[in-house]
Amino acid sequence: MQVLDDIWSSIKGNAKTRYRDPLIGTFIVSWCFCNWDKLAFLFWGTAKVEDRISSLAESMSVVTEPSLVFTDWDLIIFPVVITAGYLFLMPWASLWVKRKQEKSIISQHTHAVDLDIEQAKKQWELNKEKLRSNPEKDFLAKDVELDIQREKERLERRNKITNYIDKKVEAATLLAEKSKLDLEDKKRSDEKERLALQEKQRREDFEKQRFEEHTAIHRATLASHRFPATYYFMDLLSDSLKEDNVVLSLSALSSCVAAIFGYKTVDELINDKEFHNDNLKLLKYIVLDDDLTKKLDSICEQEGSDNEDVTPDLLFDHIYGLFDELPYELLSDESLAEIISERINTDAYDLLQSDELSGSMAETDTIFDEIILEMDDFSLNDSFDVKLSGYASGSHRREEGVHGQDLTVHVEASCLPVLGSFGLKDYELEISGSPRDYSRE
């Protein structure tokens, strides 16, 4: 009998363990819920027990008839779905509900705690009053002393707070007064700076006005120097043309003068600060511009409607003849280079007296009595430059009748423009020399 009890206890324990398993227990409950009609028919049906068992077995014979799984959903599918929903979805739903109830639960708990605290305070006051009402206890005297002590401490705290506030008010008042004084000082300083700035601005305006006045005076002075020089050539050209009964407008006359000296426009001539009487005194040569004929042709076209007798050749002849009577030479660049070369060769002996050649002449130990120079090149850029080279020869200083060592001489003559691009002053010489090296010849 003991053996049967042990076996029954083992079976009962295993069944209880399986039943308490979340998956198995949930599935069993779900299956019972979905198949309650089958169980009800099994236990409370009116048919015979054998018939009821046979009918239940046929409706659940999945092994012999697998299609029952899909035709009778209550048999397996619904229990499995309910089990899965209960095991996997219900915990999340329960957690969501608990989170939503969290504030209300905390509020209820807080209210309960506050209620307990309030009840404890009221109970404490009740106990205190009971002790006070008992004349046999010393608590009353001590309580009065504590009340007096608390009142005294309260008054002391009030006094400290009052003193602290008074000090703060006093400090704030002093700070406000200091800020007010600083603000007044700043206003006075700003006012001084404003007045100083106005005074400075007034001085700058005054200086600017004086500068503009001086500039205007200076420009007027320069113009007064330029206009007589310009008018001088315009008047000579006008008088020359009148001999052929040709009259040009002031615009044409001024354009002719501007073209002679290499200006592109009349305004460029008028605005040139260097075109004045002082530089006119330095004028020596005027180089004929290669484009002068084109410029004169343009002037004739502008004057053609008013005067048909005006031609470029007529203007060129009068301009060329104009300078025959003036102390200035109007000539081409090649002619100017030849004239300068001839002048230098004419005065070549003076070159031997120059300081630039004295050192080289001393090295040769020769008495030079002849120098011959030939023109190498000429150019007109920022200035008109003519380059010459040659040799100086003579007899030996110590041996009479013996030819000495020659001296190689290089001369560069530069004519700087003083009026426009083509009005040049007289040339300046740059001389260099060295003993002649016969080995290189």
Side-chain angles (χ1 to χ4, degrees):
M1 199 65 182
Q2 181 66 34
V3 175
L4 294 176
D5 291 339
D6 292 339
I7 294 172
W8 174 249
S9 298
S10 177
I11 295 172
K12 184 180 179 181
N14 290 332
K16 188 180 292 185
T17 302
R18 297 291 185 270
Y19 179 75
R20 288 179 179 176
D21 183 85
L23 178 60
I24 296 174
T26 305
F27 181 78
I28 291 173
V29 174
S30 300
W31 189 90
C32 292
F33 177 78
C34 293
N35 296 277
W36 65 271
D37 53 342
K38 296 180 180 67
L39 296 175
F41 178 76
L42 177 64
F43 291 107
W44 293 288
T46 57
K48 293 181 180 182
V49 175
E50 293 83 357
D51 296 337
R52 286 181 284 170
I53 293 174
S54 177
S55 176
L56 180 62
E58 289 177 0
S59 64
M60 296 176 57
S61 58
V62 179
V63 177
T64 58
E65 193 175 351
S67 60
L68 288 174
V69 175
F70 303 102
T71 57
D72 189 359
W73 286 18
D74 291 337
L75 192 60
I76 293 177
I77 295 177
F78 279 165
V80 170
V81 172
I82 294 173
T83 301
Y86 179 80
L87 291 177
F88 298 107
L89 297 179
M90 283 298 292
W92 287 104
S94 177
L95 179 61
W96 181 79
V97 172
K98 288 180 180 179
R99 285 182 177 176
K100 292 298 181 180
Q101 292 177 342
E102 183 178 351
K103 292 184 179 179
S104 61
I105 293 173
I106 292 174
S107 299
Q108 290 176 0
H109 180 71
T110 303
H111 177 69
V113 172
D114 292 340
L115 184 60
D116 291 341
I117 292 172
E118 190 66 26
Q119 288 176 354
K121 286 182 179 180
K122 294 299 182 181
Q123 186 64 40
W124 180 79
E125 291 179 358
L126 178 61
N127 294 334
K128 183 178 177 181
E129 291 299 329
K130 287 181 179 180
L131 290 172
R132 282 183 175 180
S133 62
N134 191 351
E136 296 180 358
K137 301 291 183 179
D138 295 335
F139 176 79
L140 185 60
K142 291 181 180 180
D143 187 52
V144 172
E145 290 178 1
L146 290 174
D147 289 342
I148 294 172
Q149 183 67 25
R150 282 195 293 269
E151 184 66 22
K152 190 181 295 184
E153 291 176 356
R154 188 178 65 80
L155 291 174
E156 289 178 357
R157 286 197 300 271
R158 176 180 287 183
N159 291 333
K160 287 181 181 180
I161 293 172
T162 303
N163 293 333
Y164 177 77
I165 293 174
D166 292 340
K167 289 180 181 179
K168 285 292 184 180
V169 171
E170 184 178 356
T173 303
L174 293 175
L175 182 62
E177 291 178 355
K178 183 180 178 181
S179 300
K180 184 178 180 181
L181 293 175
D182 292 342
L183 183 60
E184 291 177 356
D185 292 340
K186 189 175 183 305
K187 287 182 178 180
R188 285 193 292 269
S189 177
D190 292 342
E191 184 65 20
K192 288 181 181 179
E193 290 180 0
R194 187 181 65 81
L195 294 176
L197 185 61
Q198 288 181 351
E199 180 65 20
K200 181 180 178 181
Q201 186 67 33
R202 188 183 62 79
R203 284 198 209 130
E204 289 179 355
D205 294 341
F206 179 72
E207 292 295 332
K208 182 179 180 181
Q209 185 177 1
R210 286 183 58 189
F211 176 77
E212 291 177 353
E213 290 177 356
H214 290 165
T215 302
I217 294 172
H218 180 67
R219 288 176 179 173
T221 303
L222 291 177
S224 65
H225 280 76
R226 290 196 298 271
F227 293 150
T230 305
Y231 181 75
Y232 172 67
F233 289 105
M234 291 171 61
D235 185 57
L236 291 177
L237 181 58
S238 177
D239 292 341
S240 177
L241 290 171
K242 286 180 179 178
E243 294 178 0
D244 289 339
N245 298 319
V246 176
V247 179
L248 289 182
S249 64
L250 291 176
S251 175
L253 290 172
S254 59
S255 297
C256 290
V257 175
I260 292 170
F261 290 99
Y263 293 102
K264 296 180 180 179
T265 61
V266 177
D267 292 338
E268 187 177 347
L269 181 148
I270 294 174
N271 294 322
D272 186 7
K273 298 179 181 179
E274 301 299 325
F275 199 94
H276 50 71
N277 294 338
D278 294 336
N279 281 343
L280 184 62
K281 296 176 182 178
L282 301 175
L283 185 64
K284 180 69 176 178
Y285 306 109
I286 300 173
V287 180
L288 279 171
D289 185 8
D290 294 337
D291 296 331
L292 180 60
T293 304
K294 294 181 180 179
K295 294 179 180 179
L296 294 178
D297 186 46
S298 176
I299 294 172
C300 292
E301 289 180 359
Q302 296 175 1
E303 289 288 310
S305 59
D306 298 330
N307 194 340
E308 297 179 355
D309 297 331
V310 179
T311 62
D313 293 336
L314 176 67
L315 290 179
F316 183 82
D317 292 339
H318 280 277
I319 290 173
Y320 196 83
L322 180 68
F323 285 94
D324 290 339
E325 301 176 2
L326 296 175
Y328 320 120
E329 297 185 49
L330 177 66
L331 63 175
S332 64
D333 52 358
E334 185 176 356
S335 300
L336 177 58
E338 292 176 355
I339 290 175
I340 292 175
S341 177
E342 291 176 1
R343 285 184 57 191
I344 293 174
N345 275 289
T346 302
D347 301 330
Y349 189 77
D350 294 338
L351 299 177
L352 299 175
Q353 310 301 321
S354 63
D355 296 335
E356 290 87 348
L357 297 180
S358 59
S360 300
M361 292 170 61
E363 293 179 17
T364 61
D365 202 15
T366 302
I367 299 175
F368 294 97
D369 52 14
E370 185 180 12
I371 181 172
I372 300 174
L373 297 172
E374 294 182 358
M375 183 173 61
D376 296 332
D377 188 20
F378 64 90
S379 61
L380 177 61
N381 294 313
D382 294 335
S383 61
F384 187 79
D385 302 320
V386 180
K387 295 180 181 180
L388 301 94
S389 63
Y391 300 100
S393 59
S395 59
H396 198 277
R397 183 185 301 277
R398 298 178 183 178
E399 298 181 10
E400 186 176 354
V402 177
H403 187 79
Q405 185 179 7
D406 292 347
L407 184 69
T408 301
V409 180
H410 296 280
V411 178
E412 182 174 353
S414 298
C415 299
L416 297 175
V418 290
L419 295 180
S421 302
F422 302 131
L424 310 175
K425 68 178 182 179
D426 203 359
Y427 60 80
E428 296 178 358
L429 297 179
E430 184 177 343
I431 307 168
S432 62
S434 61
R436 186 174 183 180
D437 188 0
Y438 296 99
S439 63
R440 295 183 179 180
E441 298 180 1

